[in-house]
Amino acid sequence: LSQGSEYVPSEESGGDTEESDSEETSENGKRERKYRIVGNEQLLELFRRCKECGAQLDTSEVVMREEGSVCIVDYACLSCGKSVTWRSQSRIGKGKSTVYEGNQEIAVGAFITGVPIPRFTDFAQLLGLGLPTERAMRRTIRDIACPAIKRVFKVWEAHVRSMVKDVAEPGGIAISIDGQYDSPGFNATNCKVTIMDANLKVAIAGVSLHKHEPEIG
């Protein structure tokens, strides 16, 4: 536009059209969502009345707090005298080892997709999203994600090795071994070795060791 000119919207760019933030999906291809992002003010609207007796509440007395990604709402109703606590997520596990489901899934999801946890927490802080602390996520990865992945890997490894033996030719199995460090340069910390069946093009074993371990000579 030249200086002093006036922009006149065309019919195509008119303001009567409301654009959607979401992707359009058919009924058959509708994606199920397990979690939703809800603003504090919108959530507070759901607690204008007591969940037990239906009496109107003083919203200034409704307290919202968080445990990681979990929103917890507390209030005391003056009409029925009950104290109510509402939680946005259920707990999973047994005995004293229960955790909030979303907190666990966030840590595991970041781990298996390779999202750096420091960048993930920076992102959440910028948007004002509740997340478990970095320490809590790393503890979940260590105590829950890694053992579970290792169990699945061992089952898969045994299955692949059995398959390779079943289809092996009389001359034996052609093995290809590839080793690499986790990052270029002198700052690499882990050495990874993959053993493959050269004919079937499948990995039959994998090892990852720290560069200071005795096996890395």
Side-chain angles (χ1 to χ4, degrees):
L1 296 176
S2 60
Q3 186 175 3
S5 62
E6 181 181 0
Y7 169 70
V8 179
S10 63
E11 293 182 1
E12 291 79 7
S13 62
D16 295 336
T17 302
E18 183 177 348
E19 296 184 0
S20 173
D21 291 336
S22 61
E23 298 179 5
E24 293 184 3
T25 55
S26 62
E27 288 298 324
N28 294 333
K30 189 175 182 180
R31 295 174 296 182
E32 293 293 333
R33 299 300 187 192
K34 189 173 182 179
Y35 301 100
R36 299 288 190 272
I37 296 178
V38 181
N40 288 342
E41 293 183 2
Q42 284 68 32
L43 182 61
L44 194 60
E45 291 180 2
L46 302 178
F47 293 91
R48 294 186 180 278
R49 292 188 176 275
C50 176
K51 303 300 180 184
E52 297 293 331
C53 68
Q56 189 168 356
L57 297 172
D58 181 359
T59 54
S60 64
E61 299 297 325
V62 177
V63 178
M64 289 195 298
R65 52 192 174 92
E66 62 184 39
E67 290 187 23
S69 64
V70 184
C71 179
I72 303 174
V73 180
D74 300 305
Y75 67 83
C77 179
L78 299 178
S79 296
C80 65
K82 292 185 178 181
S83 296
V84 177
T85 298
W86 176 88
R87 295 175 175 85
S88 63
Q89 297 175 20
S90 58
R91 298 184 74 91
I92 57 176
K94 297 180 180 179
K96 296 182 179 180
S97 300
T98 61
V99 295
Y100 286 110
E101 188 172 12
N103 285 345
Q104 176 176 297
E105 292 186 347
I106 285 173
V108 174
F111 177 59
I112 64 177
T113 56
V115 177
I117 291 180
R119 301 290 76 76
F120 192 24
T121 54
D122 288 346
F123 166 80
Q125 185 175 6
L126 180 64
L127 268 66
L129 294 175
L131 282 187
T133 63
E134 181 174 344
R135 181 178 180 181
M137 284 194 280
R138 293 192 184 280
R139 184 171 60 246
T140 298
I141 291 170
R142 181 195 65 203
D143 297 341
I144 297 176
C146 288
I149 292 173
K150 187 174 182 179
R151 287 194 299 270
V152 173
F153 177 79
K154 288 298 182 183
V155 172
W156 169 85
E157 189 177 52
H159 172 73
V160 171
R161 290 183 180 182
S162 176
M163 178 191 68
V164 169
K165 291 179 181 179
D166 292 341
V167 300
E169 298 179 356
I173 302 172
I175 296 295
S176 174
I177 301 177
D178 176 62
Q180 67 178 90
Y181 278 102
D182 61 351
S183 57
F186 297 101
N187 62 338
T189 58
N190 292 327
C191 176
K192 294 174 286 187
V193 177
T194 304
I195 303 174
M196 298 184 63
D197 184 314
N199 294 325
L200 296 179
K201 308 299 183 184
V202 295
I204 58 178
V207 179
S208 178
L209 296 174
H210 193 276
K211 64 181 181 180
H212 294 310
E213 292 189 52
E215 291 83 353
I216 305 294

